[in-house]
């Protein structure tokens, strides 16, 4: 009986520790979405830039064949998202707030525009 109690106690401590470790490692957010044109068609190859407002540090993703982008591991903070694609007007969300362990979906609908020369 004593051995079973020790094993159960070790198991409880181990599970509690694993939960605390998981909580400590989840310290970022995710930003994702889909880029479409004004008719609802997906826009593959669009450049999506996520810029931290305070530091001006940015990173870029290119939308996949389904028009989707994903920024995993985003540190908490305030960001601006900008989408550019040849033949379309630039689209921007001037400020979003990323918080720990949350996922944010920001979809874009690009309007046809003139290409600057």
């Amino acid at each position: 009986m004593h051995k079973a109690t020790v094993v159960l106690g070790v198991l409880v401590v181990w599970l509690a520790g694993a939960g605390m470790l998981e909580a400590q490692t989840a310290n970022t957010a995710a930003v994702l979405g889909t880029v479409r044109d004004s008719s609802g068609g997906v826009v593959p190859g669009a450049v999506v830039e996520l810029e931290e407002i305070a530091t001006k540090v940015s990173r870029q993703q290119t939308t996949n064949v389904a028009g989707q982008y994903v920024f995993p591991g985003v540190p908490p903070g305030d960001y601006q998202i900008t989408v550019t694609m040849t033949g379309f007007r630039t689209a921007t969300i001037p400020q979003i707030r990323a918080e720990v362990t949350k996922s944010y979906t920001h979809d874009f609908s690009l309007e046809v525009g003139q290409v600057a020369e």
Side-chain angles (χ1 to χ4, degrees), residues 22-82:
E22 183 179 330
Q24 291 174 358
T25 59
N27 58 2
T28 60
V31 178
L32 55 116
T34 303
V35 178
R36 299 181 182 278
D37 61 24
S38 57
S39 70
V42 297
V43 181
V47 176
V48 183
E49 180 180 30
L50 181 68
E51 179 181 306
E52 187 173 12
I53 294 170
T55 63
K56 301 295 184 199
V57 172
S58 68
R59 49 181 149 165
Q60 293 183 344
Q61 293 283 325
T62 302
T63 57
N64 63 17
V65 295
Q68 301 166 329
Y69 69 92
V70 177
F71 290 99
V74 176
D78 294 320
Y79 292 85
Q80 173 177 295
I81 306 174
T82 304

Side-chain angles (χ1 to χ4, degrees), residues 28-33 69-74 96-106:
T28 60
V31 178
L32 55 116
Y69 69 92
V70 177
F71 290 99
V74 176
I96 65 160
R97 176 168 297 245
E99 296 178 6
V100 173
T101 70
K102 295 195 177 178
S103 178
Y104 301 91
T105 301
H106 295 285

